[in-house]
Amino acid sequence: MDHAHAMAGHAADPAHIDTSTGLDSRKMAFWTFIGSECLLFGSLIATYMAYKGSSLTGPYPHDTLVNGKLEHGILNIPLTSFSTFILLMSSVMMVLALNAVQKGDKSGSVLWLLMTALFGSVFLGCQVFEFTHFYHEGLTLQTNLFGSTFFVLTGFHGAHVTVGVIYLLTLAYLAHKGKVGPEKTLNVEIAGLYWHFVDVIWIVIFPLVYLIK
């Protein structure tokens, strides 16, 4: 690393320090955070898969024969497919938001950041509806192994989406105030990394939980 260049950059912006990898220190720290989150979600997904199909009592996730009687599965695949599509589309909105910020397009930045937050909110609304429906069907954290592992895994992901929506709304507010311009592109880029990470995790969860019996 060019030491003189790093010192000059640090003097210009004390919070912006080049690392030996050439990456901005904030982006490097965020990638480290993403790595730790991957381990956390990996452990939750592994736990769900380890206990998959081990519930001794219903409700069951998919149609199951119990003592010769068919028990209908509780998962709502069409609803979750819709919410998955919405979440994936939100990633497209995030890309458009970053592009608008890079171009100094204030109105476009606000619009696409709000649209990304809106699509994330729709996904959360579907999840709240699903959880409420499951509760009325008798599925809770304590009901069986499926309930415990399902609510912990999907609820933890939903909490991450909630944090992302708040993050995006904050950026949209700052962009509206003119405080998120091209010079602040990295802030939006980090928000985009977080949002895409949340989407990728759901792409893993959706088939494992909802599609594979």
Side-chain angles (χ1 to χ4, degrees), residues 137-176:
E137 290 292 324
L139 183 68
T140 66
L141 267 172
Q142 296 82 23
T143 303
N144 55 23
L145 283 171
F146 166 64
S148 301
T149 53
F150 172 82
F151 280 118
V152 170
L153 175 58
T154 58
F156 194 64
H157 177 267
H160 277 69
V161 176
T162 303
V163 170
V165 168
I166 295 171
Y167 192 178
L168 291 167
L169 289 175
T170 304
L171 282 176
Y173 174 76
L174 293 175
H176 175 67

Side-chain angles (χ1 to χ4, degrees), residues 68-84:
K69 182 182 177 183
L70 180 64
E71 296 278 348
H72 290 289
I74 196 170
L75 293 178
N76 187 336
I77 306 297
L79 173 68
T80 314
S81 298
F82 168 74
S83 64
T84 299

Side-chain angles (χ1 to χ4, degrees), residues 58-138:
Y60 302 98
H62 305 287
D63 292 351
T64 305
L65 273 177
V66 180
N67 298 324
K69 182 182 177 183
L70 180 64
E71 296 278 348
H72 290 289
I74 196 170
L75 293 178
N76 187 336
I77 306 297
L79 173 68
T80 314
S81 298
F82 168 74
S83 64
T84 299
F85 174 75
I86 291 295
L87 191 62
L88 292 178
M89 288 300 100
S90 72
S91 269
V92 177
M93 308 294 175
M94 189 68 239
V95 172
L96 294 173
L98 178 59
N99 183 55
V101 171
Q102 289 171 334
K103 291 181 176 177
D105 180 1
K106 179 182 173 181
S107 59
S109 303
V110 175
L111 171 65
W112 294 119
L113 284 169
L114 286 177
M115 288 299 291
T116 309
L118 175 64
F119 275 45
S121 299
V122 172
F123 174 84
L124 288 173
C126 291
Q127 193 169 51
V128 169
F129 175 83
E130 181 184 47
F131 283 11
T132 304
H133 172 69
F134 287 177
Y135 175 78
H136 289 300
E137 290 292 324

Side-chain angles (χ1 to χ4, degrees), residues 24-39:
D24 182 279
S25 57
R26 290 167 291 178
K27 188 182 287 187
M28 192 70 184
F30 199 78
W31 276 113
T32 304
F33 168 73
I34 292 292
S36 65
E37 287 286 282
C38 285
L39 293 176

